Structure formats: structure tokens, C-alpha cells
């Protein structure tokens, strides 16, 4: 079965076409600057690269470009869209009513719309993509895979904040967590690598990319995660603060900042960028730190310290674990950062093997020393494949 995976972001459309269950990638495409000047689409298929450069005013027009590229005679992988058997959509926020990947119907679309309030940059384009794909692809199964779904197993003691309970009842204010597709995928792969049933494996998964989050995973189920009501909570990220005293917001409001300015400050101008002042890309910061920049070094140290702190917290949540798993652009590639995070944790049973760590870049591997009680794993994430697997599973069951 050919499964199309769509990820409609605020100004981009990423897509991949898989042959399932073989998991072969038949095409991979990206449309950038949707709704902006200078839109462009690129699709790669087994050695062929196709490009389209013309205005793409909205996601509906974007999906027309996807259709054109997938079926182009000079290198598109399909003769017609009728060869697509199912379509999987990445959706960010499914709130409390979605606990797994589900076949899309009118009610599900209403849920995505309802939670647009909590994910204003993501759910609206996700929903537009869903509606356009239904129009374009007809009656085939369409499946939604939510970033929040994997974390719906988190218990109330972990997902409620110390706020008046009434706010939970009135506004559903609670921790939801994100990156669930990635945490679930690497947790499954980690159990395979460890040669243990997932139901008997306890893990701390660290998704460290531009956005960063960690999860405590007990027996294949998320029991806590660092992101919260929104992706702002938890780790220090590329441009987001992560945890900080909310009274800072009240203080800055009194100093004349507006709510909108503080939103931008906390989400777009903080984190590595805000501390180092130059870049949110750890490659730049590693280079600057290597050349003697104290500020870059400080940003990297603060980033690593927060991850260490949550490893400690989640070791307590899980009462020890089988492995700590690193994924995402930073987790997969930055051996220096993994060393900063994992050094001097031997009393907790965590001992890194420096040579293995240095040798494991952009690929799966074990990086712990023989005496480490806890396995340390690097596992490249693959959210598109995870969505294709879920879509295939749900579509076949349907
Ligand atoms: P996103 O969260 O947008 O999907 P990624 O998972 O690709 O982002 O992660 C982006 C981060 O990964 C950036 O901070 C970047 O510096 C880092 N990164 C990507 N490749 C490397 C690399 N080869 N070495 C070190 N860091 C890398």
C-alpha cells in the first residue's frame, strides 16, 4: 500500500510517500514559504529531483503542487493519485480526547479545530491540510497522528499544575506534552535494540532538536514529559525559555512589556539564542565556544544542565531505568553536548564511553561504558516513518 504522509506547518508542507509495509521511501518533498513570496517546492525520488517555483498562496494550492510532483511524467513516482491507499497527517494538538492515531471523520476535525486555541500556529494549517487532502484523495482512509497522543497516559499527579483545580475544569489547563510521535518511535526502537519487550522496558527519551523535550516512559507508556500546556515548558531550547519563574512575566508586565511582546520573547528570543545572543544553532555555538566565546559556552552549559536535571527527576519518577535515549538534531549529532549532559553521573549508574560517543554521530548506537548500569542509546528519530506505520496500521484495521 502506498501511504502519503503530510506535515502541514504554518508556512511549509513536508511530505513523504512510503510503500508499506516494506517502509520504502518512494518520494520526499518540501514546499517552503507557503503563503509568502518566493514559494518553492522540491521533491526527491530515487535519484531524480523535481522543482516547482511559482506562487503557492495557501495549503490547498500546496497540495495541488504535491499532486503535480507525485504524478509528473519526468520522474514522479505515481501515474495517478488513485495509487495512494491511505494518507497520514501530523497534527500537533489533540487535547484530552485523543489517545492514539485515529481515522479522520467530522468529529475528529472538530477536535483539531477546538484545540487551535492552544496550538494557534499548528492546528489551523494541520486542519487545512486534512480538508484539502480529503478533497484531493477522495474516500481513502485518512489518519491523524497527534504530537500529544502518546502523552495521554501521563497520570493526573504529573499532568496537573499547582493552580486552582477550577482552571483545569473550565479551560482544560494541564500538561499535554508534545513530540509524542518521536518519543513513541524511539522508545519502540530502544526496546528492540535492548532485546526486551517494550512492556518491560523503562526509558528516559530525550528529543533534542530546535524544540526539545524529554519523556519518562514506563513499559512503553509515557508517564511524564517536560513540555506542558504548550511547548514552552521544560528544557532550554533553541529560542524558548523552558522552565522559569512565572513571576518574571508579571514583573516584566509591570516594567511595560505587553503580553504579545512577552510571548515573542519567551518563544522566539530566548533559549540558546537569547543567552548566547548570536545563534540558536548548536553547531555555531560549539564553534564559538571552541574559539573561546564565554557566552556561547554558557548557553551550551545551561542547555546541558537542564537535561541533566530532568534525567535525575525521571530516574526518580521511574525508580531507575533501562536506558537514556538521545534523538533529534542535537541528540543524534552533537557528541560534545551528550558528554556535557552525561558526565559525572556514575553514582546514578550512568557512565559514558567517550570513544563510542564520538563515533556515534547521525546513526543508531550504544554509547555507554561496559560498567554503566544504564544503557545510553542514540536513535535517529523518524517521525514520518512512524506516521506511515500508524497510518498503515489504522487503515488496514479499518
Ligand atoms: P527540528 O526540531 O526543527 O526538527 P532538528 O531536530 O533538525 O530540528 O534539530 C536542529 C538542531 O540540531 C540545531 O540546533 C542544530 O544545530 C542541531 N544539529 C543538526 N545537525 C547537527 C550536527 N551535525 N552537529 C551538531 N548539531 C546538529
Amino acid at each position: 500500500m502506498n501511504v502519503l504522509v503530510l506535515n502541514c506547518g504554518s508556512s511549509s508542507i513536508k511530505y513523504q510517500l512510503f510503500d508499506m509495509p516494506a517502509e520504502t521511501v518512494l518520494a520526499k518533498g518540501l514546499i517552503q514559504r507557503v503563503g509568502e513570496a518566493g514559494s518553492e517546492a522540491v521533491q526527491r525520488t530515487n535519484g531524480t529531483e523535481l522543482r516547482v517555483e511559482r506562487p503557492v498562496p495557501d495549503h490547498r494550492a500546496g497540495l495541488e503542487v504535491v499532486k503535480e510532483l507525485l504524478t509528473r511524467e519526468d520522474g514522479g513516482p505515481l501515474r495517478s493519485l488513485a495509487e495512494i491507499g491511505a494518507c497520514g497527517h501530523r497534527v500537533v494538538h489533540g487535547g484530552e480526547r485523543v489517545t492514539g492515531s485515529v481515522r479522520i471523520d467530522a468529529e475528529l476535525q472538530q477536535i483539531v479545530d477546538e484545540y487551535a486555541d492552544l496550538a494557534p500556529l499548528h492546528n489551523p494549517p494541520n486542519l487545512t491540510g486534512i480538508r484539502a487532502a480529503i478533497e484531493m484523495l477522495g474516500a481513502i482512509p485518512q489518519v491523524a497522528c497527534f504530537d500529544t497522543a502518546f502523552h495521554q497516559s501521563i497520570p493526573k499527579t504529573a499532568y496537573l499544575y499547582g493552580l486552582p483545580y477550577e482552571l483545569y475544569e473550565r479551560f482544560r489547563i494541564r500538561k499535554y506534552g508534545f513530540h509524542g510521535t518521536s518519543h513513541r518511535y524511539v522508545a519502540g526502537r530502544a526496546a528492540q535494540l535492548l532485546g526486551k519487550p517494550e512492556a518491560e522496558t523503562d526509558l528516559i527519551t530525550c528529543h533534542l532538536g530546535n524544540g526539545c523535550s524529554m519523556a519518562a516512559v514506563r513499559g512503553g507508556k509515557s508517564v511524564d514529559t517536560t513540555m506542558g500546556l504548550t511547548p514552552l515548558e521544560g528544557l532550554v531550547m533553541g529560542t524558548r525559555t523552558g522552565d522559569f519563574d512565572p513571576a518574571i512575566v508579571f514583573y516584566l508586565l509591570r516594567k511595560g512589556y505587553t503580553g504579545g511582546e512577552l510571548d515573542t520573547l519567551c518563544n522566539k528570543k530566548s533559549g540558546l539564542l537569547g543567552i548566547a545572543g548570536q545563534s540558536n544553532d548548536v553547531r555555531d555555538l560549539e564553534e564559538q565556544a571552541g574559539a573561546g566565546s564565554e557566552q556561547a559556552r554558557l548557553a551550551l552549559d545551561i542547555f546541558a544542565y537542564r537535561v541533566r536535571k530532568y534525567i535525575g527527576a525521571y530516574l526518580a519518577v521511574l525508580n531507575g531505568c533501562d536506558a537514556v535515549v538521545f534523538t533529534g538534531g542535537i541528540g543524534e549529532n552533537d557528541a560534545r553536548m551528550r558528554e556535557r549532559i552525561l558526565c559525572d553521573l556514575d553514582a546514578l549508574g550512568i557512565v559514558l564511553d567517550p570513544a563510542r560517543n564520538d563515533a556515534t554521530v547521525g546513526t543508531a548506537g550504544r554509547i555507554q561504558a561496559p560498567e554503566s548500569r544504564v544503557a545510553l542509546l542514540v536513535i535517529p528519530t523518524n517521525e514520518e516513518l512512524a506516521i506511515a506505520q500508524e497510518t498503515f496500521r489504522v487503515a488496514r484495521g479499518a
Side-chain angles (χ1 to χ4, degrees):
M1 181 194 281
N2 291 326
V3 173
L4 178 65
V5 173
L6 281 177
N7 180 353
C8 294
S10 51
S11 65
S12 71
I13 299 176
K14 287 188 207 153
Y15 64 96
Q16 283 194 40
L17 183 70
F18 290 88
D19 175 17
M20 297 301 285
E23 304 187 351
T24 314
V25 179
L26 302 177
K28 188 171 177 171
L30 170 64
I31 309 179
Q32 285 177 292
R33 292 183 285 282
V34 174
E36 298 167 8
S39 318
E40 61 166 349
V42 187
Q43 175 182 284
R44 292 194 177 83
T45 312
N46 236 344
T48 319
E49 186 179 286
L50 297 178
R51 276 177 184 275
V52 170
E53 281 176 39
R54 65 158 185 261
V56 181
D58 54 32
H59 288 77
R60 195 168 296 271
L63 283 196
E64 285 299 324
V65 174
V66 174
K67 173 181 174 181
E68 174 186 325
L69 287 170
L70 287 175
T71 54
R72 236 164 74 172
E73 281 181 6
D74 58 338
L78 302 175
R79 266 162 296 148
S80 99
L81 291 188
E83 291 167 44
I84 297 175
C87 181
H89 298 261
R90 180 206 177 192
V91 187
V92 167
H93 217 307
E96 290 193 303
R97 282 157 64 197
V98 183
T99 57
S101 304
V102 276
R103 186 139 178 194
I104 296 170
D105 56 13
E107 191 190 345
L108 192 278
Q109 291 181 52
Q110 203 184 329
I111 293 175
V112 178
D113 192 32
E114 214 173 282
Y115 281 92
D117 193 27
L118 288 177
L121 295 180
H122 294 102
N123 274 28
N126 296 160
L127 187 56
T128 314
I130 288 172
R131 290 183 172 146
I134 290 172
E135 254 174 51
M136 194 169 86
L137 298 169
I140 62 166
Q142 306 254 355
V143 176
C145 301
F146 291 85
D147 279 24
T148 51
F150 180 58
H151 300 302
Q152 277 300 306
S153 46
I154 294 176
K156 212 166 194 172
T157 40
Y159 75 64
L160 279 188
Y161 295 113
L163 287 164
Y165 194 78
E166 184 207 341
L167 293 181
Y168 169 61
E169 293 176 316
R170 280 179 65 197
F171 303 120
R172 297 283 128 185
I173 289 179
R174 51 160 285 179
K175 179 189 281 290
Y176 289 96
F178 299 88
H179 289 146
T181 305
S182 176
H183 287 291
R184 185 175 47 73
Y185 176 78
V186 299
R189 294 274 298 117
Q192 283 171 357
L193 270 178
L194 295 170
K196 281 184 80 168
E198 210 177 346
E200 292 165 25
T201 308
D202 295 341
L203 302 164
I204 297 173
T205 51
C206 311
H207 178 108
L208 309 178
N210 246 322
C212 301
S213 71
M214 289 168 61
V217 183
R218 178 182 289 132
K221 292 194 168 15
S222 175
V223 293
D224 202 353
T225 191
T226 54
M227 282 179 168
L229 174 79
T230 76
L232 190 57
E233 192 182 343
L235 302 176
V236 173
M237 312 182 205
T239 62
R240 295 190 190 115
T241 56
D243 299 335
F244 71 110
D245 183 347
I248 294 165
V249 170
F250 319 140
Y251 181 79
L252 289 176
L253 283 171
R254 291 201 299 276
K255 290 287 176 195
Y257 283 77
T258 66
E261 281 168 355
L262 289 172
D263 191 337
T264 307
L265 180 91
C266 293
N267 279 295
K268 303 233 165 86
K269 296 184 177 172
S270 296
L272 293 173
L273 175 67
I275 300 163
Q278 302 277 342
S279 170
N280 61 336
D281 192 312
V282 296
R283 283 167 292 200
D284 299 338
L285 299 178
E286 292 284 7
E287 197 181 310
Q288 289 162 14
S293 162
E294 280 302 316
Q295 212 59 26
R297 201 198 143 97
L298 180 65
L300 294 167
D301 285 345
I302 292 172
F303 180 97
Y305 180 78
R306 186 72 56 85
V307 179
R308 278 169 77 80
K309 208 158 98 168
Y310 270 110
I311 288 176
Y314 287 171
L315 280 172
V317 167
L318 296 168
N319 190 17
C321 69
D322 296 288
V324 180
V325 184
F326 289 88
T327 194
I330 299 171
E332 292 164 27
N333 296 298
D334 191 349
R336 275 290 296 127
M337 181 58 80
R338 294 192 301 245
E339 192 182 319
R340 278 187 203 93
I341 294 167
L342 296 169
C343 67
D344 302 327
L345 293 177
D346 52 309
L348 297 177
I350 291 174
V351 188
L352 186 69
D353 182 307
R356 281 188 187 175
N357 183 42
D358 288 348
T360 309
V361 174
T363 169
R366 293 162 189 258
I367 56 171
Q368 80 271 17
E371 68 270 30
S372 188
R373 288 201 305 280
V374 176
L376 304 171
L377 306 176
V378 176
I379 299 181
T381 195
N382 192 338
E383 287 165 283
E384 290 76 18
L385 175 60
I387 293 172
Q389 289 168 341
E390 286 287 285
T391 302
F392 182 64
R393 184 180 61 75
V394 174
R396 234 186 7 180

